[in-house]
Amino acid sequence: MAQPPAAPHRNRHLFVPKLVTALREGYGLGDFRHDAIAGLTVAIVALPLAMALAIASGTTPERGLFTAVIAGFIISAFGGSRFQIGGPTGAFVVVVFNIIDRHGYDGLLIATIMAGFMLLAFGLLRFGTYIKYVPQPVVTGFTAGIAVIIFSSQVRDLLGLEIDKLPADFLHQWSAYLTNLATVNPAAIGIAGLTLALIIGLKRWRPRWPGFLIGVLAGTLLALAAGLPVETIGSRFGTIPNMLPSPSLPEVTLERVRVLLPDAFTIALLAGIESLLSAMVADGMTGRRHRSNCELVAQGLANLGSALFGGLPATGAIARTATNIRAGARTPVAGILHAGFLLLFMIALAPLMIYVPLACLAAVLVIVAWNMSEVERFRHLMKAPRGDRVVLLLTFGLTVMVDLTVAIQVGIVLAAILFMVRMAEAVEIQGGVNPLPQHDDGDEDEDSNAREDLPPGVEVFLIRGPLFFGATGQLTDVLASVLERIGVSPKIFILRLRHVPMIDASGAGTLENFLKRCQSQGTIVILSGLQPQPAEIMARMGLTHGGTGAPLLAPDYRSAVATARTLITQD
């Protein structure tokens, strides 16, 4: 017998951070040692990456560090995954760059704060179960598009081109590159090439070594030792602060909120999708299970905190989370320590970071872009049905050529339309004296064994599949065509609904119109094999209330035929 108190108990656990769960299980010195090693490893990986992502986003490198420290701490402390590492990611580069270009950095902070509240709402309303179901062609399309844009944005620093302000959109960027091609800097190309070669080589032969950091260090040392004329963090951005800024808020107006609402929704959607994908990857690597709604709440708090300290939008980072797991992390303490180590690096190494060549960071982002592109998954999806290929290519093209917000909106809407079309095509409606075709002989459900001859004046419809708004037109057309075919109104209609798993308001509305038409013509309707969900919806909407003209209900087709025969005999 069910115990009512169990449900509230389970619901309370939906929002308990995994840090609390891990500490309750017992936390010893051995656990701390493993977490400390993992946290240090991830911090070493995140240090150059956070700065590179911030620069690619059109802002200064320290803002990437602020984000990694503040958001990384909050996501690990309050999140629903044991191993999630949070911070700036490549998915936000395009969004952040465009927002800063159109609305300034204050506009980005406002959009990030709004996105934080949206993510809090998503989690508290328990949308975490559903936000993971964005179609794969949409996710792959915009992820590959972002990868192309990240690569495009780094060509200036890879080649050392002298361009004062890089345009925001893809086509104008390449126009600027071609126009300024004469300003190529061979030293920058050499530094970028060395960094790329080291990162790729270490990933192949020494995968456990921090390839990003080693590549950046080698390129920096070479540039300093040889006195190469390359642009550095210091020459473009000046000094890097060695402490976190004081919390502050931008000036917020209703007009700015209205204008930034689409951008805020894009940030929230991207943060939700990527964080839950990252948590699912971590689950697959460890056999653990994350709490999706708790994770969304933590993402909301992290984005609010990041904006408060002058950072960037943040989410779970798949590559850093995987690194955390491989380095031996056991609890969310590893992610907290990763944020602490990054803060120590910033305090101790800020005076040295100004010497890092921008070509080195551009090489880091080229690797990030390649990893994001998911070339093999893209190729695999190109073998999918035509509709999925259209969604993939359209989302990819709109991301690169137009805008990520538009790409996501169009991709999701088009994917939803294709899904509805496919679901409508899956609905099968059969009518006639013998509604069961011969290939159903092997069907072992109780309806399929009744093949009695129907009495005169009885018509049968067999419906298979969900009866939702996409299929209502088909149902209406079939009902009308059968009525025209038989020429006269039958005395009884049997609607076999055993194979209808669900019905929505549109489907119920179509059935209601059919029932009213039958009532006006004196035709009795019998519904057989009604499933729980359709039965509940139809009862709620008053279709089976038992009044005049209401259909009769039969548990199965055999009973429906027996009822019809009785009614015909009585008549």
Side-chain angles (χ1 to χ4, degrees):
M1 184 174 180
Q3 299 179 358
H9 180 71
R10 287 194 300 269
N11 291 341
R12 286 198 300 270
H13 275 70
L14 291 176
F15 298 100
V16 175
K18 282 291 187 176
L19 175 63
V20 175
T21 302
L23 295 179
R24 284 176 179 171
E25 292 172 352
Y27 191 79
L29 185 61
D31 296 317
F32 180 79
R33 184 173 62 252
H34 280 85
D35 285 340
I37 293 173
L40 178 61
T41 303
V42 179
I44 291 172
V45 173
L47 179 66
L49 198 55
M51 293 191 295
L53 290 168
I55 293 172
S57 300
T59 184
T60 52
E62 69 270 15
R63 299 199 184 277
L65 295 173
F66 298 161
T67 308
V69 172
I70 299 299
F73 174 85
I74 294 175
I75 288 171
S76 294
F78 299 99
S81 171
R82 285 178 179 263
F83 308 102
Q84 186 83 280
I85 298 295
T89 66
F92 284 125
V93 167
V94 180
V95 178
V96 172
F97 192 97
N98 287 333
I99 294 175
I100 293 176
D101 185 66
R102 289 184 280 111
H103 304 289
Y105 183 70
D106 278 357
L108 173 67
L109 291 181
I110 295 172
T112 305
I113 291 171
M114 293 166 62
F117 283 116
M118 289 180 186
L119 285 164
L120 281 173
F122 291 166
L124 294 175
L125 293 173
R126 302 179 187 179
F127 287 175
T129 307
Y130 308 105
I131 201 171
K132 295 180 289 188
Y133 297 117
V134 176
Q136 191 178 82
V138 176
V139 175
T140 303
F142 75 67
T143 302
I146 289 170
V148 171
I149 295 176
I150 290 176
F151 171 77
S152 175
S153 68
Q154 297 309 300
V155 172
R156 173 180 64 171
D157 293 332
L158 283 172
L159 302 181
L161 299 176
E162 296 178 7
I163 302 174
D164 293 333
K165 181 173 173 56
L166 190 66
D169 62 288
F170 180 80
L171 294 178
H172 285 91
Q173 282 179 356
W174 283 93
S175 176
Y177 295 151
L178 295 175
T179 302
N180 295 275
L181 200 57
T183 63
V184 165
N185 184 347
I189 296 176
I191 291 293
L194 171 67
T195 306
L196 273 174
L198 278 173
I199 294 173
I200 295 172
L202 288 172
K203 185 176 182 180
R204 180 173 181 179
W205 289 294
R206 292 291 185 272
R208 293 185 176 273
W209 290 17
F212 284 158
L213 185 62
I214 293 174
V216 170
L217 281 175
T220 302
L221 292 174
L222 176 61
L224 288 173
L228 299 177
V230 292
E231 195 171 14
T232 63
I233 289 178
S235 64
R236 182 180 294 182
F237 302 105
T239 58
I240 293 180
N242 61 354
M243 64 183 68
L244 293 174
S246 300
S248 62
L249 288 172
E251 182 180 352
V252 181
T253 64
L254 288 176
E255 177 60 23
R256 298 199 80 182
V257 169
R258 183 189 65 81
V259 171
L260 288 165
L261 188 60
D263 295 310
F265 180 76
T266 300
I267 292 173
L269 185 62
L270 274 179
I273 292 172
E274 188 163 6
S275 65
L276 295 183
L277 285 176
S278 179
M280 290 171 65
V281 169
D283 290 350
M285 294 177 67
T286 62
R288 297 280 187 170
R289 292 186 63 186
H290 71 281
R291 295 170 182 148
S292 57
N293 294 300
C294 181
E295 185 64 29
L296 290 181
V297 170
Q299 297 296 330
L301 294 174
N303 279 277
L304 290 174
S306 180
L308 193 64
F309 283 89
L312 304 171
T315 185
I318 296 176
R320 275 161 276 171
T321 298
T323 301
N324 186 40
I325 294 170
R326 294 191 189 102
R330 293 186 175 180
T331 72
V333 173
I336 294 173
L337 292 175
H338 134 269
F341 283 126
L342 276 175
L343 181 59
L344 291 176
F345 292 162
M346 189 173 69
I347 293 172
L349 302 178
L352 302 177
M353 292 180 188
I354 60 174
Y355 299 108
V356 174
L358 294 178
C360 292
L361 297 181
V364 168
L365 287 174
V366 167
I367 300 297
V368 171
W370 175 258
N371 292 337
M372 283 186 66
S373 65
E374 296 185 299
V375 175
E376 290 304 319
R377 185 184 297 273
F378 199 100
R379 289 175 180 168
H380 179 69
L381 286 175
M382 288 302 295
K383 301 175 183 177
R386 183 174 59 182
D388 292 325
R389 297 199 302 270
V390 170
V391 172
L392 173 69
L393 295 174
L394 187 62
T395 306
F396 174 77
L398 289 174
T399 300
V400 174
M401 297 297 181
V402 182
D403 180 73
L404 181 60
T405 305
V406 174
I408 293 176
Q409 292 171 348
V410 172
I412 291 178
V413 170
L414 182 57
I417 292 173
L418 287 171
F419 172 76
M420 289 183 288
V421 170
R422 289 167 181 167
M423 291 294 288
E425 290 174 347
V427 176
E428 181 183 1
I429 304 174
Q430 298 171 350
V433 174
N434 184 13
L436 295 171
Q438 293 302 314
H439 65 261
D440 277 348
D441 287 344
D443 190 354
E444 294 184 4
D445 71 53
E446 59 186 1
D447 284 356
S448 65
N449 294 324
R451 294 183 177 275
E452 297 91 345
D453 293 330
L454 294 174
V458 178
E459 281 290 331
V460 179
F461 283 97
L462 170 65
I463 303 177
R464 296 180 186 271
L467 196 54
F468 72 115
F469 66 91
T472 55
Q474 181 183 356
L475 176 61
T476 302
D477 292 342
V478 170
L479 293 175
S481 65
V482 171
L483 288 175
E484 291 175 2
R485 175 176 58 79
I486 62 179
V488 294
S489 298
K491 295 179 180 179
I492 297 175
F493 258 122
I494 298 177
L495 287 183
R496 297 191 62 222
L497 302 178
R498 181 177 180 81
H499 300 290
V500 177
M502 63 81 65
I503 188 172
D504 68 357
S506 299
T510 300
L511 282 181
E512 183 178 16
N513 292 334
F514 173 69
L515 293 174
K516 288 179 179 178
R517 182 172 181 180
C518 289
Q519 181 185 3
S520 66
Q521 297 174 348
T523 300
I524 298 173
V525 177
I526 303 175
L527 306 181
S528 76
L530 201 58
Q531 295 296 309
Q533 193 272 354
E536 178 187 354
I537 297 301
M538 294 173 69
R540 188 185 304 170
M541 297 183 69
L543 272 66
T544 56
H545 53 72
T548 303
L552 302 177
L553 302 181
D556 52 52
Y557 178 60
R558 188 187 302 275
S559 300
V561 173
T563 301
R565 181 174 288 106
T566 301
L567 292 172
I568 291 293
T569 302
Q570 291 176 350
D571 184 66

